[in-house]
Amino acid sequence: GDSVTQMEGPVTLSEEAFLTINCTYTATGYPSLFWYVQYPGEGLQLLLKATKADDKGSNKGFEATYRKETTSFHLEKGSVQVSDSAVYFCALRDDKVIFGPGTSLSVIP
Amino acid sequence: NAGVTQTPKFQVLKTGQSMTLQCAQDMNHEYMSWYRQDPGMGLRLIHYSVGAGITDQGEVPNGYNVSRSTTEDFPLRLLSAAPSQTSVYFCASSYFGSGRGADTQYFGPGTRLTVL
């Protein structure tokens, strides 16, 4: 069945460091891919998405490119801020929506 | 629009009790789903529905039932609560299509359930 795998956390970075959170997926069809973010004490909200191969989703300085050949959708940001501290979830939508286990990010000043 | 609403926000049950978690949305979304969130496990899909009268199992359906008699409502029933069902439960909805907001999951505020 469909599944999403993310890099293990927690991840701790200094402010202005480069961020990569790896995400790979398994799906029988051609899914849409998403990154959601959950800030402390809040619900999940959409960060970015891509609906087909080679699409790049971007929002708030975050980017991810849909790579069909490697079944990946890695999240990147060039310079993280303390306010980016949150849990990040990779997800796919095929016939249903499946989430990865989440990666906790802490950014320290 | 109220978006996705869930009740109750908190609930404590004893082992063996049954209850229903309510979920409603006023956005006319076809797709609705239930997840449970446990530390280190992310969100795991319990059941989902692609429209009124249609439901299907997700990754962890055992011990839970759902029905979808209307587009707006998607209740989750715990048949006989067990301590392993202690979790935070989220309902979500979305619409299909190719527009900018398509497939974006809108989440309810969650229900924190404790089973003693």
Side-chain angles (χ1 to χ4, degrees):
Chain A
D2 296 351
S3 66
V4 176
T5 303
Q6 289 180 235
M7 63 186 288
E8 296 273 339
V11 174
T12 302
L13 295 174
S14 296
E15 206 165 21
E16 299 183 1
F18 185 85
L19 168 71
T20 299
I21 300 178
N22 291 338
C23 170
T24 57
Y25 69 90
T26 302
T28 53
Y30 298 94
S32 296
L33 301 174
F34 307 82
W35 278 100
Y36 284 80
V37 58
Q38 186 176 32
Y39 297 104
E42 298 183 12
L44 275 77
Q45 55 186 277
L46 179 69
L47 181 59
L48 53 84
K49 72 176 187 180
T51 58
K52 60 183 187 296
D54 299 325
D55 267 2
K56 177 185 283 187
S58 61
N59 186 25
K60 299 182 181 180
F62 291 90
E63 293 182 340
T65 300
Y66 190 146
R67 300 289 187 198
K68 187 170 181 293
E69 64 276 13
T70 54
T71 61
S72 64
F73 193 55
H74 305 322
L75 183 68
E76 296 182 336
K77 186 174 186 183
S79 176
V80 294
Q81 305 300 313
V82 172
S83 57
D84 294 326
S85 298
V87 181
Y88 293 82
F89 294 91
C90 186
L92 69 80
R93 187 225 172 220
D94 201 351
D95 58 334
K96 54 189 177 291
V97 181
I98 299 292
F99 284 79
T103 301
S104 176
L105 170 67
S106 294
V107 181
I108 54 177
Chain B
N1 286 353
V4 180
T5 57
Q6 290 183 237
T7 56
K9 289 188 177 179
F10 301 94
Q11 183 70 50
V12 178
L13 293 177
K14 294 181 179 178
T15 297
Q17 287 185 314
S18 63
M19 79 159 295
T20 300
L21 279 62
Q22 300 293 342
C23 174
Q25 53 90 10
D26 61 359
M27 297 173 282
N28 202 32
H29 287 170
E30 308 101 324
Y31 184 90
M32 295 186 73
S33 54
W34 278 101
Y35 297 88
R36 57 179 290 174
Q37 184 175 27
D38 303 293
M41 304 290 288
L43 273 77
R44 291 182 292 170
L45 180 64
I46 304 171
H47 287 285
Y48 68 102
S49 168
V50 299
I54 306 169
T55 63
D56 209 342
Q57 296 181 349
E59 302 166 285
V60 289
N62 292 342
Y64 307 94
N65 272 358
V66 293
S67 60
R68 184 96 180 268
S69 56
T70 66
T71 299
E72 294 79 17
D73 299 300
F74 192 45
L76 178 73
R77 281 182 289 277
L78 279 70
L79 308 173
S80 177
S84 60
Q85 293 179 304
T86 294
S87 188
V88 180
Y89 291 85
F90 288 100
C91 180
S93 74
S94 66
Y95 70 91
F96 303 131
S98 57
R100 188 167 179 268
D103 293 332
T104 297
Q105 298 301 302
Y106 293 83
F107 284 88
T111 295
R112 188 174 294 274
L113 175 68
T114 301
V115 182
L116 303 175

